[in-house]
């Protein structure tokens, strides 16, 4: 038996006040007939500020699905075809606190109001403000006890029920994050609590949870944390009690059809929940997740929790798939999913990496989505390419291969919105189609470029330092930038001033990067002609053995990065030099006794963010002819086959 | 025993005819090659223009293809707009050449002149037949799609995707069986048109339905398909084992498919003529 002793008490301090985890005790009962929850919560919060706090803010995210007036629905651009049927009964939801008292016995029920910190939609009720009768003094705690009930939404994105499948995310009144002065961007202590938006995810504080769910006997519960007790108290209902410390959210799912399969990585139990018809996919998940856990274990640090639950929902619960929650992730697969399509592996790895970036290193998913989604996409590319091969880690089917990193590059560069906003925008400020390419793919792409520029060893050290320094805390972008600069200045001679010049362009800017070599000229140098130095003899120009060769480099897009230039001479000499081309056109000249035959800018493809790698090279000889012939033959064969196939119809 | 012998000898003779009709299959192969070149050459041009003076990577990858398309979007859209025209013309050529093959196998004369005169003689009737065939295939496809999506499938309403997958598998099998019979009927009708030379062929197309539902015809038709598949598999395997230039292997595989086409029509012609003789006697 393993006894788990997590570091429950955080060591973070802002000023003199120690920041303590919130403490939640929730008893919730599920009524599957009415699709409602009835619950009681006891919440203890400690004021980390050096001034009294007289109110508290709560996420009431089920109210986002309360009616069509919510901010979520006013922003929602979900395709009509994917909307659940709304015509046979009520599919809306709500959360309602019916009775709330503080530890002094004050009834605070009438002190509740709804506020809209992000917009002017006064009808939105996704953020609740609770005014306190007695302010909480610095370092002191308040314990609130409240009864609440909720109607569960019918298959809304990421949460709700459908048929006998229930997935509970953002399901309970959850405290916002009180940010003290100096924490992230806070100039003075205040609550950070956003409304529920159509685009974007969540932000909450570290807490210790003890949650008891009472569900019908036949139902199996998958949950954040680990099972402490299971008590069947009558012929109808069973209470499952889960506990978990030092996590930023708590999620659970239940269904009478769940089957559970188990595996183990070190001391962590991996539990896989799905419907019986999809059980066979378990081995794919277990293999992928163990590889991922091992990889991150080495590169960043231990996964410290004793369980990891993977939920693969049935098709009617598809909206809840592909999400990350503390110690519980969801994926998506379909029966008979071909092995060559790596979607299950990609999803489960991606969601697991989130355990590090946004669960343990708890960045703000709404205000800085790139710091969890982009970081995760970067790691997903690294791990999947390492696991399955660089050229086929995403698709390896019928001779058709795509790698994960190159797919990320394609997703960003191919998006028509790729320059529409800097990655620093809040998630709900992005145009809906820009959010993914910019937050996920652009970040991954510039991180890959950074890794190649400074070297993978230093990059690994940066990641490890960042993770170890900021785990169980809430860093912001400057905290990441600071770690990069600190280590780059210390260990990378190439960039003695750090990487701010790069971050200014890729984090705060919207420009793209494209360098091209547009020409190579080789001119024989001739001697001077005419009357030289007062000589009365007229000299004719004659050719010398020297050749002046000029390489023309064009900076097509605005991002400026230092590059290597590799120059090949006809006599076999090869020259490599550093180049920092800041103007639109840059000419590099050499005077030697041999012609230049070939030049390549960025020969090792360090600048992966470059939008066209093909124009990075130039050759005065047509070296590519052989490859061209092979490709033309390949195409010819494919089209001959296709045409002959077409004739079968006749 | 004699039925088996007849089947085997029909097949053997058909494949012998196919191999012997070198003028026809050479022409078919050449035209196939030229049409493919018409499509592949502009694409090769894109590669050339993008990689002219470039060092291009050794492996074709998404990165390479994407960068290539980025390099010359104008030419890509040009190719996309001319592709339907090339395919349309190739379809017409296929109608013509099928008419030519049918004429040749019917008269057992595999000279190019017989092939070309057959193409001219039956072109419009075969074109009509092709249009009917495409309409029929479209109609069957539509019906099968309706069956696949029967019951207003909403992913939020179904218990699992299993029934959808098994429905798709069964419908694919159905389509394969229907298509096989449709193809047999279509080929048989072509031979009948060559034999009876009717202006309109409604009566013959009805008659063909009962005529193809004959064990010998079906067996010969299926064996010819199996022989073709075996040949393609054999050539593919040889191509993988022996490092022969890929383009040559492609030609051999295309050739096997052309031989099959000639052999199949030749077999059906022999069976059709035998039926004719039986009716006369």
């Amino acid at each position: 038996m393993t006894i788990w002793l997590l570091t429950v008490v955080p060591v973070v301090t802002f000023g003199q006040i120690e920041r303590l985890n919130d403490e939640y005790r929730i008893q919730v009962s599920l009524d599957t007939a009415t699709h409602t929850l009835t619950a009681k919560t006891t919440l203890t919060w400690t004021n980390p500020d050096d001034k009294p706090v007289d109110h508290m803010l709560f996420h009431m995210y089920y109210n986002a699905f309360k009616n069509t007036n919510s901010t979520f629905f006013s922003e929602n651009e979900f395709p009509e075809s994917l909307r659940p049927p709304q015509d046979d009964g009520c599919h809306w939801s709500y959360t309602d606190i019916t009775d709330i008292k503080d530890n002094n016995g004050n009834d605070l029920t009438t002190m509740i109001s709804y506020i809209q910190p992000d917009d002017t939609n006064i009808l939105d009720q996704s953020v609740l403000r609770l005014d306190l009768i007695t302010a909480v003094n610095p370092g002191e705690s308040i314990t609130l006890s409240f009864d609440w009930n909720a109607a569960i939404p019918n298959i809304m994105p990421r949460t709700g029920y459908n048929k006998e499948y229930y997935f509970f995310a953002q399901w309970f009144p959850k405290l916002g994050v009180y940010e003290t002065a100096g924490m992230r961007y806070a100039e003075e202590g205040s609550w950070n609590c956003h409304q529920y938006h159509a685009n974007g995810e969540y932000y909450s504080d570290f807490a210790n949870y003890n949650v008891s769910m009472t569900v019908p006997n036949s139902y199996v519960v998958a949950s954040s944390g680990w099972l402490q007790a299971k008590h069947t108290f009558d012929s109808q209902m069973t209470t499952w009690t889960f506990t978990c410390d030092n996590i930023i959210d708590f999620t659970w799912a239940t269904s009478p059809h769940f089957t559970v399969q188990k595996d183990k990585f070190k001391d962590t139990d991996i539990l896989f929940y799905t419907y019986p018809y999809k059980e066979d996919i378990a081995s794919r998940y277990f293999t992928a997740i163990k590889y991922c856990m091992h990889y991150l274990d080495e590169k960043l640090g231990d996964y410290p929790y004793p369980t990891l639950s993977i939920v693969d929902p049935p098709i009617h619960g598809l909206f809840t798939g592909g999400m990350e929650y503390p110690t519980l992730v969801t994926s998506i697969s379909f029966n008979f999913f071909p092995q060559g399509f790596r979607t299950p592996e990609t999803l489960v790895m991606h969601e697991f990496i989130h355990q590090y970036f946004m669960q343990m290193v708890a960045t703000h998913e709404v205000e800085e989505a790139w710091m969890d989604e982009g970081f995760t996409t970067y790691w997903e590319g690294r791990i999947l390419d390492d696991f399955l091969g660089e050229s086929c880690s995403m698709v390896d089917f019928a001779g058709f291969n795509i790698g994960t990193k190159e797919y990320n590059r394609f997703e960003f560069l191919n998006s028509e919105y790729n320059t529409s906003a800097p990655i620093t925008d809040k998630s709900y400020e992005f145009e809906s189609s820009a959010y993914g390419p910019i937050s996920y793919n652009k970040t991954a792409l510039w991180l890959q470029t950074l890794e190649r520029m400074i070297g993978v060893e230093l990059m690994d050290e940066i990641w490890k330092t960042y993770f170890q320094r900021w785990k169980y805390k809430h860093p912001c972008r400057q905290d990441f930038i600071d770690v990069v600069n600190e280590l780059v200045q210390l260990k990378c001679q190439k960039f003695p001033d750090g990487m701010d010049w790069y971050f200014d362009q890729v984090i705060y800017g919207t420009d793209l990067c494209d360098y091209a070599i547009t020409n190579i000229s080789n001119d024989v140098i001739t001697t001077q002609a005419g009357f030289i130095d007062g000589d009365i003899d007229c000299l004719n120009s004659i050719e010398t053995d020297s050749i002046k060769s000029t390489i023309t480099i064009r900076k097509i897009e605005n991002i400026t990065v230092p590059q290597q230039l590799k120059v090949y001479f006809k006599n076999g000499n090869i020259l490599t030099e550093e180049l920092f081309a800041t103007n639109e056109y840059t000419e590099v000249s050499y005077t030697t006794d041999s012609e230049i035959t070939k030049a390549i800018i960025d020969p090792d493809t360090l600048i992966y963010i470059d939008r066209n790698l093909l124009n990075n090279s130039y050759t005065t000889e047509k070296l590519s002819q052989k490859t061209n012939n092979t490709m033309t033959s390949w195409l010819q064969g494919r089209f001959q086959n296709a045409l002959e196939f077409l004739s079968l119809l006749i | 025993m004699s039925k088996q012998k007849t089947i085997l000898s029909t097949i053997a003779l058909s494949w012998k005819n196919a191999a012997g009709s070198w003028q026809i299959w050479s022409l078919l192969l050449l035209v196939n090659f030229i049409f493919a070149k018409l499509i592949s050459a502009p694409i090769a041009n894109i590669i050339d223009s993008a990689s002219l003076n470039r060092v291009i990577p050794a492996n074709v990858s998404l990165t390479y293809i994407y960068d290539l398309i980025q390099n010359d979007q104008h030419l890509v859209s040009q190719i996309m707009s001319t592709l339907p025209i090339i395919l349309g013309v190739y379809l017409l050529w296929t109608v013509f050449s099928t008419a030519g093959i049918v004429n040749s196998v019917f008269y057992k004369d595999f000279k190019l002149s017989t092939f070309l005169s057959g193409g001219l003689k039956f072109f419009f009737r075969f074109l009509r037949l092709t249009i009917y065939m495409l309409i029929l295939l479209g109609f069957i496809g539509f019906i099968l799609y309706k069956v696949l999506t029967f019951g207003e499938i909403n992913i939020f309403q179904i218990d699992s995707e299993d029934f959808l997958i098994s429905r798709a598998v069964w419908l694919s099998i159905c389509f394969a069986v229907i298509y096989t019979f449709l193809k047999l009927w279509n080929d048989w009708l072509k031979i009948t048109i060559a034999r009876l030379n009717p202006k309109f062929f409604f009566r013959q197309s009805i008659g063909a339905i009962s005529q193809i539902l004959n064990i010998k015809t079906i067996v010969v038709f299926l064996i010819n398909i199996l022989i073709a598949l075996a040949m393609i598999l054999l050539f593919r395997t040889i191509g993988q084992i022996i490092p022969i230039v890929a383009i040559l292997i492609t030609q051999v595989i295309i050739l096997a498919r052309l031989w099959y086409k000639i052999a199949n029509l030749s077999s059906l012609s022999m069976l059709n003529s035998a039926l004719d003789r039986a009716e006369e006697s």
Side-chain angles (χ1 to χ4, degrees):
Chain A
M1 191 174 116
T2 309
I3 299 172
W4 284 91
L5 290 172
L6 284 172
T7 313
V8 186
V9 182
V11 290
V12 194
T13 55
F14 290 93
Q16 299 300 310
I17 312 292
E18 194 173 31
R19 193 175 180 89
L20 295 175
N21 281 359
D22 304 338
E23 297 274 349
Y24 285 91
R25 291 187 75 85
I26 304 173
Q27 284 135 30
V28 61
S29 181
L30 167 66
D31 185 334
T32 53
T34 57
H35 308 299
T36 54
L37 294 173
T38 308
K40 186 173 182 59
T41 295
T42 307
L43 166 65
T44 301
W45 176 73
T46 305
N47 180 3
D49 209 348
D50 56 5
K51 64 175 188 182
V53 173
D54 61 3
H55 73 280
M56 299 167 85
L57 297 187
F58 287 84
H59 303 99
M60 300 288 279
Y61 279 174
Y62 264 16
N63 286 344
F65 315 120
K66 191 170 188 173
N67 52 48
T68 49
N69 297 322
S70 70
T71 290
F72 174 84
F73 273 101
S74 63
E75 293 174 344
N76 198 344
E77 290 172 20
F78 275 96
E80 204 58 40
S81 57
L82 285 181
R83 280 182 194 275
Q86 300 287 348
D87 51 356
D88 55 340
C90 183
H91 299 264
W92 304 97
S93 68
Y94 63 83
T95 305
D96 192 19
I97 295 179
T98 53
D99 181 61
I100 183 163
K101 290 187 177 67
D102 66 17
N103 43 335
N104 295 321
N106 296 315
D107 188 344
L108 306 176
T109 314
T110 57
M111 311 294 277
I112 288 173
S113 60
Y114 289 101
I115 61 164
Q116 298 78 31
D118 300 340
D119 62 20
T120 55
N121 177 12
I122 57 168
L123 300 173
D124 186 76
Q125 297 186 342
S126 56
V127 174
L128 180 147
R129 177 184 168 115
L130 177 71
D131 286 299
L132 302 172
I133 289 175
T134 312
V136 187
N137 286 319
E140 285 185 6
S141 298
I142 183 172
T143 298
L144 299 171
S145 300
F146 51 99
D147 297 330
W148 56 277
N149 52 56
I152 306 162
N154 180 223
I155 48 170
M156 288 299 167
R158 304 185 184 129
T159 193
Y161 75 91
N162 196 11
K163 295 181 178 278
E164 293 183 299
Y165 171 76
Y166 289 82
F167 194 89
F168 297 100
Q170 313 308 323
W171 58 284
F172 62 100
K174 188 173 57 174
L175 201 53
V177 180
Y178 190 89
E179 295 186 336
T180 48
M183 179 182 167
R184 298 182 68 253
Y185 306 103
E187 291 175 359
E188 58 177 346
S190 62
W191 289 98
N192 188 310
C193 191
H194 283 277
Q195 289 162 251
Y196 199 112
H197 294 275
N199 237 359
E201 297 180 343
Y202 318 106
Y203 180 52
S204 40
D205 216 345
F206 289 96
N208 305 330
Y209 286 89
N210 183 294
V211 182
S212 299
M213 310 91 161
T214 301
V215 298
N217 283 339
S218 57
Y219 278 63
V220 175
V221 175
S223 174
S224 290
W226 52 98
L227 184 64
Q228 279 220 320
K230 188 177 159 190
H231 174 59
T232 302
F233 54 87
D234 65 23
S235 59
Q236 303 284 315
M237 306 295 275
T238 298
T239 297
W240 303 57
T241 302
F242 286 82
T243 186
C244 196
D245 294 340
N246 238 11
I247 54 174
I248 56 162
D249 199 356
F250 195 96
T251 302
W252 59 291
T254 188
S255 169
H257 307 292
F258 270 157
T259 61
V260 192
Q261 293 176 74
K262 292 181 185 172
D263 206 331
K264 208 167 175 70
F265 175 77
K266 290 190 172 175
D267 293 325
T268 301
D269 288 325
I270 307 167
L271 307 167
F272 174 58
Y273 299 83
T274 194
Y275 273 34
Y277 74 94
K278 287 207 285 192
E279 277 180 330
D280 289 349
I281 203 153
S283 60
R284 286 179 67 175
Y285 281 126
F286 286 139
T287 310
I289 205 73
K290 284 194 287 185
Y291 191 91
C292 188
M293 290 175 94
H294 174 74
Y295 197 97
L296 292 176
D297 202 58
E298 278 192 351
K299 300 286 182 192
L300 298 173
D302 285 345
Y303 172 77
Y305 303 98
T307 57
L308 173 71
S309 296
I310 303 165
V311 176
D312 188 339
I315 191 163
H316 51 266
L318 201 64
F319 263 2
T320 63
M323 263 306 285
E324 68 281 5
Y325 304 98
T327 73
L328 184 148
V329 297
T330 65
S331 184
I332 294 172
S333 71
F334 299 104
N335 213 355
F336 304 115
F337 216 78
Q339 195 81 24
F341 288 97
R342 318 292 201 183
T343 312
E345 287 85 356
T346 305
L347 276 175
V348 81
M349 280 195 185
H350 181 98
E351 309 312 345
F352 177 73
I353 298 162
H354 275 303
Q355 298 300 316
Y356 287 78
F357 297 111
M358 132 279 165
Q359 159 32 38
M360 284 188 271
V361 178
T363 47
H364 201 311
E365 293 183 86
V366 180
E367 293 183 5
E368 293 175 310
W370 63 276
M371 290 191 73
D372 63 291
E373 295 301 354
F375 286 9
T376 298
T377 305
Y378 161 84
W379 279 100
E380 169 201 313
R382 272 187 75 165
I383 301 171
L384 272 162
D385 281 6
D386 195 65
F387 178 44
L388 297 163
E390 198 171 334
S391 61
C392 57
S393 60
M394 185 158 210
V395 176
D396 183 5
F397 189 74
F400 187 64
N401 295 340
I402 300 178
T404 306
K405 277 185 207 154
E406 67 171 348
Y407 185 73
N408 285 329
R409 177 179 179 271
F410 169 78
E411 278 266 278
F412 169 63
L413 293 177
N414 196 45
S415 165
E416 60 179 304
Y417 298 97
N418 57 16
T419 58
S420 64
I423 59 173
T424 47
D425 274 11
K426 295 184 176 73
S427 53
Y428 56 85
E429 292 171 343
F430 282 104
E431 285 185 71
S432 141
S433 306
Y435 172 64
I438 293 177
S439 296
Y440 289 62
N441 307 112
K442 180 181 177 180
T443 308
L445 193 55
W446 70 251
L447 282 168
Q448 283 151 15
T449 303
L450 178 66
E451 176 197 296
R452 291 165 190 226
M453 285 195 294
I454 63 174
V456 71
E457 289 82 10
L458 181 54
M459 192 71 179
D460 281 351
E461 200 177 334
I462 287 168
W463 282 115
K464 198 162 207 162
T465 307
Y466 172 67
F467 175 71
Q468 295 296 342
R469 189 177 292 174
W470 287 101
K471 69 178 172 182
Y472 308 125
K473 297 175 197 169
H474 301 286
C476 64
R477 61 176 171 265
Q478 194 56 46
D479 299 316
F480 176 74
I481 291 170
D482 287 347
V483 173
V484 175
N485 281 336
E486 177 188 318
L487 286 166
V488 166
Q489 284 172 2
L490 197 68
K491 302 201 168 183
C492 183
Q493 290 177 345
K494 195 173 161 190
F495 303 110
D497 298 325
M499 302 303 290
D500 278 343
W501 62 271
Y502 181 62
F503 295 134
D504 287 345
Q505 299 180 91
V506 294
I507 294 180
Y508 300 102
T510 58
D511 289 325
L512 299 175
C513 176
D514 186 14
Y515 280 87
I517 297 183
T518 53
N519 192 35
I520 294 176
S521 65
N522 292 296
D523 300 314
V524 176
I525 294 176
T526 53
T527 56
Q528 291 174 303
F531 299 102
I532 308 294
D533 295 335
D535 201 330
I536 57 165
D537 292 330
C538 181
L539 299 177
N540 290 326
S541 171
I542 54 165
E543 289 188 349
T544 67
D545 292 337
S546 298
I547 294 169
K548 185 184 179 190
S549 306
T550 304
I551 301 165
T552 308
I553 296 153
R554 185 176 172 208
K555 185 162 81 85
I556 298 168
E557 300 284 355
N558 285 331
I559 283 187
T560 305
V561 278
Q563 313 246 9
Q564 266 195 342
L565 177 67
K566 198 167 189 177
V567 186
Y568 296 78
F569 292 89
K570 202 171 187 175
N571 62 9
N573 287 347
I574 298 172
L575 193 80
T576 303
E577 63 175 286
E578 300 297 326
L579 183 80
F580 195 54
T582 53
N583 299 324
E584 186 182 352
Y585 286 97
T586 303
E587 288 190 344
V588 183
S589 296
Y590 303 90
T591 302
T592 61
D593 58 357
S594 178
E595 290 180 0
I596 291 176
T597 55
K598 184 167 69 169
I600 305 175
I601 195 162
D602 187 27
D604 302 319
T605 320
L606 302 179
I607 313 303
Y608 198 49
I609 202 166
D610 189 306
R611 71 176 311 186
N612 184 353
L613 300 172
L614 210 57
N615 62 16
N616 284 12
S617 61
Y618 198 98
T619 158
T620 54
E621 297 165 354
K622 217 174 167 190
L623 294 179
S624 51
Q625 193 58 50
K626 193 181 165 197
T627 318
N628 279 357
N629 286 343
T630 312
M631 197 170 298
T632 310
S633 301
W634 182 83
L635 282 171
Q636 172 74 17
R638 289 292 179 277
F639 286 122
Q640 276 192 264
N641 271 306
L643 287 173
E644 185 48 36
F645 182 77
L646 185 73
S647 74
L648 276 179
L649 291 172
I650 311 301
Chain B
M1 185 67 189
S2 77
K3 188 182 254 183
Q4 281 174 13
K5 196 177 173 185
T6 319
I7 288 172
L8 291 176
S9 58
T10 303
I11 291 166
L13 191 58
S14 302
W15 283 88
K16 195 179 156 199
N17 285 343
S21 58
W22 66 271
Q23 289 181 331
I24 296 175
W25 55 252
S26 301
L27 180 67
L28 293 177
L29 187 64
L30 181 69
V31 174
N32 173 276
F33 187 89
I34 290 168
F35 270 85
K37 200 75 187 166
L38 284 175
I39 305 170
S40 67
I43 297 174
N45 271 348
I46 291 184
I47 297 168
D48 264 344
S49 73
S51 54
L52 184 72
N53 304 112
R54 304 290 177 205
V55 182
I56 65 172
N59 299 316
V60 178
S61 64
L62 177 70
T63 303
Y64 172 59
I65 292 169
Y66 175 72
D67 290 358
L68 204 61
I69 292 169
Q70 289 296 303
N71 234 48
D72 207 335
Q73 284 180 331
H74 174 67
L75 208 50
V76 172
S77 52
Q78 243 180 13
I79 289 170
M80 294 315 285
S81 58
T82 51
L83 196 61
I85 299 167
I86 296 171
L87 292 179
V89 175
Y90 187 76
L91 210 64
L92 294 179
W93 158 252
T94 308
V95 172
F96 179 88
S97 63
T98 307
I101 294 170
V102 168
N103 200 45
S104 299
V105 296
F106 183 72
Y107 291 108
K108 297 185 182 63
D109 176 3
F110 297 100
K111 286 201 291 288
L112 214 49
S113 54
T114 313
F115 169 81
L116 293 174
S117 66
L120 288 171
K121 187 175 170 188
F122 297 119
F123 176 76
F124 287 104
R125 273 172 283 184
F126 277 28
L127 183 61
R128 260 190 290 152
L129 185 58
T130 300
I131 292 167
Y132 299 152
M133 178 77 170
L134 290 175
I135 291 170
L136 256 175
L137 280 175
F139 179 70
I140 290 163
F142 174 75
I143 297 288
L144 293 180
Y145 174 74
K146 281 287 165 195
V147 175
L148 179 70
T149 55
F150 179 75
E152 208 181 327
I153 292 165
N154 177 336
I155 58 164
F156 299 114
Q157 301 286 357
I158 57 179
D159 285 327
S160 90
E161 61 274 26
D162 268 8
F163 87 95
L164 258 184
I165 292 166
S166 56
R167 203 190 265 188
V169 169
W170 280 112
L171 288 175
S172 303
I173 294 168
C174 278
F175 184 79
V177 171
I178 293 170
Y179 177 74
T180 306
F181 274 95
L182 214 53
K183 177 75 180 144
L184 176 55
W185 168 81
N186 187 27
D187 287 347
W188 185 268
L189 197 52
K190 285 171 195 161
I191 303 291
T192 308
I193 290 170
R195 182 162 62 87
L196 302 176
N197 200 14
K199 201 168 182 181
F200 300 100
F201 42 84
F202 180 75
R203 202 165 49 85
Q204 287 78 11
S205 57
I206 300 294
I209 297 171
S210 60
Q211 287 161 358
I212 59 164
L213 292 176
N214 167 316
I215 191 75
K216 198 160 88 179
T217 311
I218 293 170
V219 167
V220 168
F221 186 75
L222 293 177
I223 289 177
N224 277 332
I225 292 175
L226 289 177
I227 292 172
L229 287 176
M231 281 172 73
I232 290 167
L233 193 69
L234 177 72
F235 293 141
R236 270 193 201 286
T237 313
I238 290 171
Q240 280 161 1
I241 296 168
I242 307 167
I244 306 173
V245 182
I247 195 75
L248 285 180
I249 288 294
T250 305
Q251 304 316 309
V252 175
I253 290 170
I254 299 281
L255 199 56
R257 283 156 68 171
L258 294 175
W259 281 349
Y260 157 73
K261 196 172 182 175
I262 299 169
N264 174 49
L265 288 169
S266 182
S267 299
L268 295 183
S269 175
M270 284 180 231
L271 295 172
N272 197 306
S273 301
L275 190 77
D276 191 28
R277 283 196 297 277
E279 277 170 7
E280 279 173 12
S281 66

